[in-house]
Amino acid sequence: MRKFFLSAATGLSLFAVSAIAAENPLIGVVNFATCITESKAGKKEQENMESMRKQMATLVENTEKELKEIAAKFEDSEYLDSLSPKAEEELKAKFQTLQEELGRYQNQFYQVLNHANYQMMQKINGNIAKAAEKIAAEKHLDYVMNKEACFYIRSDLDVTSSVIAEMDKNFELDGKANVEESTTQAG
């Protein structure tokens, strides 16, 4: 009879502990922005975005420079007087074409950067999710959330640095795998 009570008491206490654990899940948080700015993958993606932005900006700047040069010619009455009517029409047509190109470039610039930014965020989000899953298993966390969704979190539940370390480890492993793959394809 005593064994029955002991086993019943043990069973009830385990049930109570598991019920309390289910009611009070352990939640970790990750600072998404910090993962982008401090992880190797995030830094690489930011470098790629900046490179693309510079290429697009150069195209826009060159077109703007050309437009300014033509606009200056229109303001120079001596220069305009020296042109034949046909040459003046060609200059006006070139100016109009450059204005249209500039508008297209600016629109494309905006669209390309927005799309690239979206893809970068999706890629980093996937990297964070993969790393967070591993850290959650190691630290016995039930959830890992974006810190921005929380008004308050205990500092011991912030797993950002652990997630970044895991992301960096995955980044290095992926880099090595890519080098090995390209070596295999080249050989």
Side-chain angles (χ1 to χ4, degrees):
M1 185 78 159
R2 186 171 184 194
K3 284 185 178 181
F4 172 75
F5 284 120
L6 279 177
S7 60
T10 303
L12 284 175
S13 64
L14 287 175
F15 176 74
V17 168
S18 65
I20 290 171
E23 290 177 14
N24 298 315
L26 192 54
I27 302 172
V29 295
V30 172
N31 187 322
F32 189 86
T34 302
C35 289
I36 291 173
T37 59
E38 294 184 16
S39 70
K40 291 178 181 180
K43 288 177 182 176
K44 181 67 176 168
E45 290 299 321
Q46 287 179 345
E47 286 174 17
N48 292 343
M49 282 287 292
E50 184 60 20
S51 174
M52 182 185 306
R53 188 198 65 74
K54 283 181 180 177
Q55 288 173 353
M56 301 284 296
T58 299
L59 184 63
V60 168
E61 288 167 5
N62 290 341
T63 305
E64 286 175 340
K65 181 180 174 187
E66 225 178 317
L67 270 171
K68 284 179 185 177
E69 290 171 359
I70 293 174
K73 290 177 183 178
F74 282 126
E75 293 175 9
D76 184 355
S77 59
E78 288 181 26
Y79 179 79
L80 285 177
D81 290 342
S82 71
L83 292 177
S84 68
K86 183 178 180 184
E88 188 175 339
E89 284 302 313
E90 287 175 358
L91 189 62
K92 286 179 182 178
K94 183 174 182 181
F95 186 77
Q96 180 67 33
T97 301
L98 284 173
Q99 282 182 318
E100 291 170 3
E101 283 179 6
L102 180 62
R104 273 195 313 274
Y105 292 155
Q106 289 171 333
N107 189 32
Q108 288 173 347
F109 182 51
Y110 177 76
Q111 289 178 351
V112 167
L113 285 182
N114 275 342
H115 183 70
N117 187 56
Y118 175 78
Q119 286 182 320
M120 177 186 82
M121 290 300 177
Q122 292 299 313
K123 187 174 183 180
I124 294 296
N125 191 55
N127 290 340
I128 292 171
K130 181 179 176 183
E133 185 176 343
K134 183 164 188 212
I135 298 304
E138 289 174 2
K139 295 186 181 260
H140 307 289
L141 299 171
D142 296 307
Y143 304 98
V144 177
M145 297 176 57
N146 187 343
K147 191 173 187 176
E148 292 174 9
C150 303
F151 289 109
Y152 170 78
I153 190 74
R154 287 188 346 227
S155 61
D156 62 317
L157 294 176
D158 187 329
V159 294
T160 303
S161 59
S162 299
V163 168
I164 290 172
E166 184 64 28
M167 287 174 69
D168 288 349
K169 191 167 92 176
N170 292 340
F171 181 80
E172 295 294 329
L173 290 173
D174 290 346
K176 287 179 184 177
N178 289 340
V179 168
E180 289 174 5
E181 183 179 310
S182 53
T183 304
T184 303
Q185 290 177 354

